Amino acid sequence: RADNLVAQLAEFARIKDMVKNAILHEDVKELQESIRLADGNKQTKDLKEVAEARKLLARLEAELSVIYDFKSCLREMQGRGEKLTIDDVSKLEEVMEKFRYIG
């Protein structure tokens, strides 16, 4: 019984450290994995660090989405080999507005 409690405490500490490191590194894959592990453990799924990790992950995923939009717009513009059009500038302004909203 004591061995079981020690193992549970060790697992709790390991998951909590993993979540903290993922937050520190701001790494999407680390955040996803640490949240998955925390959700699978009754003791860690409701930690404030896990809630913080979820918020950070949502923000990072939103930022990545905007970056992908920007890269797509840029590739399209470069593919045409022309100067920027008014539509191009509008698209880039939309991307910048999304970044401001996220930040």
Side-chain angles (χ1 to χ4, degrees):
R1 179 140 165 94
D3 289 343
N4 190 20
L5 287 174
V6 169
Q8 286 177 351
L9 286 173
E11 181 67 4
F12 175 85
R14 185 182 76 81
I15 292 172
K16 189 172 180 178
D17 284 344
M18 197 173 169
V19 171
K20 285 182 177 181
N21 284 330
I23 290 170
L24 180 66
H25 297 150
E26 292 191 356
D27 182 279
V28 172
K29 289 188 191 293
E30 276 186 61
L31 286 164
Q32 290 170 334
E33 179 63 15
S34 64
I35 290 169
R36 186 186 68 72
L37 285 174
D39 285 346
N41 185 310
K42 293 178 202 172
Q43 297 170 327
T44 56
K45 71 179 184 178
D46 295 327
L47 286 173
K48 67 178 180 175
E49 289 89 353
V50 176
E52 185 181 336
R54 282 191 179 92
K55 284 186 214 174
L56 177 58
L57 179 61
R59 192 195 84 214
L60 291 174
E61 287 174 337
E63 287 176 1
L64 284 173
S65 173
V66 171
I67 289 168
Y68 294 140
D69 286 349
F70 176 77
K71 285 182 176 180
S72 175
C73 287
L74 194 57
R75 269 195 303 275
E76 183 182 315
M77 288 177 232
Q78 289 172 337
R80 288 196 314 256
E82 302 171 2
K83 293 184 178 181
L84 292 179
T85 66
I86 291 176
D87 286 341
D88 295 335
V89 172
S90 294
K91 287 178 186 176
L92 292 175
E93 286 175 343
E94 285 178 29
V95 170
M96 292 308 296
E97 187 60 34
K98 287 180 184 177
F99 262 130
R100 279 191 282 278
Y101 178 74
I102 292 168

